[in-house]
Amino acid sequence: MQFGIFSVSDITRDPVSGKTPSEAERIDAILKIAVKAEEVGLDAFAIGEHHNPPFFSSSPTTLLAHIAALTERLVLTTATTLITTNDPVRIAEEYAMLQHLSKGRMDLMLGRGNTAPVYPWFGQDIRQGLAIALENYNLLHRLWREDVVDWEGQFRTALQGFTSTPRPLDDVPPFVWHGSIRTPEIAEQAAFYGNGFFANHIFWPTSHSKRLIDFYRQRFEHYGHGTKKQAIVGVGGQAYIAKRSQDAVKEFRPYFDEAPVYGHGPTLEEFTKGTPLTVGSPQEVIDKTLTFHDAFGDYQRQMFLVDHAGMPLNMVLDQLELLGGEVVPVLRKELASRRDPESADAPTHAGRVAAKYGDGPARQPRPNANRGDNVTGASPYQDSDASAEYPGLG
């Protein structure tokens, strides 16, 4: 089981101090949060993708590459890479580069996003969002597995003889999670390809997430990737932790009451009762997180949202100390004791390389020579099929 944190990269007014951080301050803070996550023993850090205020993370790969340089073992991932409004060619190239720079310490979670105006900004129609997501991932999947791709679809220009560079590290594509709040078609897509499914599991009751996870497991087995128990599941969650539960409630209440994401609707007590949000002592967070396992069975990654709603940096760092020092060690031990030996391990680059090559050497693509027009000729790599032809190049 991997434990980590994720950020949606919001820049929100602190309701206690009245201060709204600048973009520069928030970006500096997220670097400190990621480094702290590794220091306290967490396994993964994820950042969202947004292209509008009040968010700052418009370029996740740039941010994650910098964090990779600041850390040594933290798995770097996304809390959504927009498969709908990003060109899958650019996703293939940028995340393969991140995979090389991080030495394999990365994966990514694909999603459609929930900000309607973003679609026309990038030349897309939100009414086609699901169809775009399905088509774009079909192309992305091929770009990481085929040296030369010919492709034609509905939502981008056709490709003829296209090679995405760099090739994935060790010729093993980054692991992909498909994230969803409510869409069974996305769970179906994850199952079809044998990829991971990530249940958002923040604003909805556990019973809602369980329906999607159970459906994904059934379809994963149906497509022949393994048993239901071997399906790869990630789960979101959110927590605010203090040594004493009454202090946690007192400290978090102003942030809850003023946060736009909570809708100024249910009370804090109502929300914690009906959703995965936990506000309390380390033991209360442990107890509620274990109920997720009761509902979902073994799963591979648990991510917590801890830095939203305008909470200042020092408060977030204190949360990480408690999460890494008092919550996660107990969860690791307890969940390990419950683990079914048939369940899949958490995905890692090393594990995927071993699964592909065994004890043999990994492929290291070496391009053929530039023939003078910035093209390598009939085949892009020295170990490619020499009989292959690029259309129009002879």
Side-chain angles (χ1 to χ4, degrees), residues 215-286:
F215 174 72
Y216 160 70
R217 290 188 188 277
Q218 293 166 6
R219 301 304 288 170
F220 182 93
E221 183 174 83
H222 168 80
Y223 287 116
H225 300 297
T227 66
K228 296 174 186 177
K229 293 180 180 179
Q230 292 169 327
I232 301 173
V233 173
V235 173
Q238 53 182 328
Y240 185 85
I241 318 167
K243 289 284 189 179
R244 301 190 311 162
S245 58
Q246 57 266 47
D247 292 335
V249 170
K250 179 181 178 181
E251 292 164 10
F252 186 67
R253 188 180 299 280
Y255 296 94
F256 177 90
D257 288 346
E258 294 298 320
V261 294
Y262 298 120
H264 303 286
T267 66
L268 175 58
E269 289 74 15
E270 291 169 338
F271 202 87
T272 54
K273 183 178 180 179
T275 75
L277 173 64
T278 310
V279 180
S281 66
Q283 189 59 53
E284 287 174 303
V285 176
I286 291 165

Side-chain angles (χ1 to χ4, degrees), residues 51-259:
H51 296 275
N52 56 285
F55 303 92
F56 67 81
S57 182
S58 58
S59 180
T61 53
T62 304
L63 178 67
L64 293 175
H66 184 62
I67 294 172
L70 299 175
T71 56
E72 295 182 355
R73 60 169 190 81
L74 197 65
V75 175
L76 305 170
T77 185
T78 55
T80 296
T81 295
L82 297 176
I83 189 63
T84 45
T85 51
N86 283 306
D87 182 353
V89 170
R90 292 301 295 142
I91 294 177
E93 294 175 335
E94 291 179 9
Y95 283 89
M97 180 63 77
L98 175 62
Q99 188 188 33
H100 280 268
L101 293 174
S102 66
K103 303 303 181 187
R105 289 190 292 122
M106 59 78 65
D107 53 39
L108 68 159
M109 182 173 72
L110 300 177
R112 290 183 292 157
N114 58 8
T115 307
V118 172
Y119 281 76
W121 296 342
F122 291 89
Q124 300 291 5
D125 183 343
I126 193 171
R127 293 170 295 182
Q128 299 291 329
L130 181 57
I132 295 169
L134 298 175
E135 179 179 291
N136 279 359
Y137 180 68
N138 174 269
L139 175 55
L140 176 62
H141 184 86
R142 291 186 59 193
L143 290 169
W144 276 335
R145 289 163 175 81
E146 302 174 30
D147 284 353
V148 181
V149 172
D150 295 317
W151 180 88
E152 186 173 352
Q154 181 180 354
F155 300 108
R156 79 170 316 280
T157 53
L159 298 174
Q160 289 186 307
F162 180 77
T163 299
S164 176
T165 59
R167 303 308 297 151
L169 178 66
D170 300 316
D171 207 37
V172 173
F175 185 78
V176 171
W177 304 85
H178 299 260
S180 180
I181 299 173
R182 58 186 174 270
T183 308
E185 290 88 348
I186 298 302
E188 174 81 14
Q189 185 183 41
F192 177 81
Y193 287 102
N195 295 335
F197 177 69
F198 192 94
N200 178 278
H201 199 233
I202 295 178
F203 300 118
W204 295 76
T206 295
S207 58
H208 172 86
S209 297
K210 177 175 167 49
R211 286 192 292 271
L212 279 175
I213 290 171
D214 287 349
F215 174 72
Y216 160 70
R217 290 188 188 277
Q218 293 166 6
R219 301 304 288 170
F220 182 93
E221 183 174 83
H222 168 80
Y223 287 116
H225 300 297
T227 66
K228 296 174 186 177
K229 293 180 180 179
Q230 292 169 327
I232 301 173
V233 173
V235 173
Q238 53 182 328
Y240 185 85
I241 318 167
K243 289 284 189 179
R244 301 190 311 162
S245 58
Q246 57 266 47
D247 292 335
V249 170
K250 179 181 178 181
E251 292 164 10
F252 186 67
R253 188 180 299 280
Y255 296 94
F256 177 90
D257 288 346
E258 294 298 320

Side-chain angles (χ1 to χ4, degrees), residues 296-374:
F296 307 140
D298 289 343
Y299 58 103
Q300 285 67 38
R301 181 174 289 178
Q302 173 67 59
M303 302 292 281
F304 293 97
L305 176 63
V306 297
D307 77 325
H308 65 307
M311 287 190 291
L313 176 60
N314 65 322
M315 182 178 282
V316 176
L317 297 180
D318 288 344
Q319 291 295 295
L320 292 178
E321 288 283 0
L322 290 167
L323 184 64
E326 300 192 28
V327 173
V328 166
V330 177
L331 287 173
R332 285 194 200 278
K333 183 177 180 180
E334 179 61 29
L335 292 173
S337 72
R338 300 183 180 192
R339 186 176 184 274
D340 189 313
E342 187 181 337
S343 298
D345 293 330
T348 65
H349 182 70
R352 288 163 60 76
V353 169
K356 181 173 183 177
Y357 298 104
D359 295 329
R363 182 192 183 206
Q364 302 299 330
R366 292 174 170 81
N368 285 314
N370 182 345
R371 68 181 191 183
D373 56 359
N374 292 330

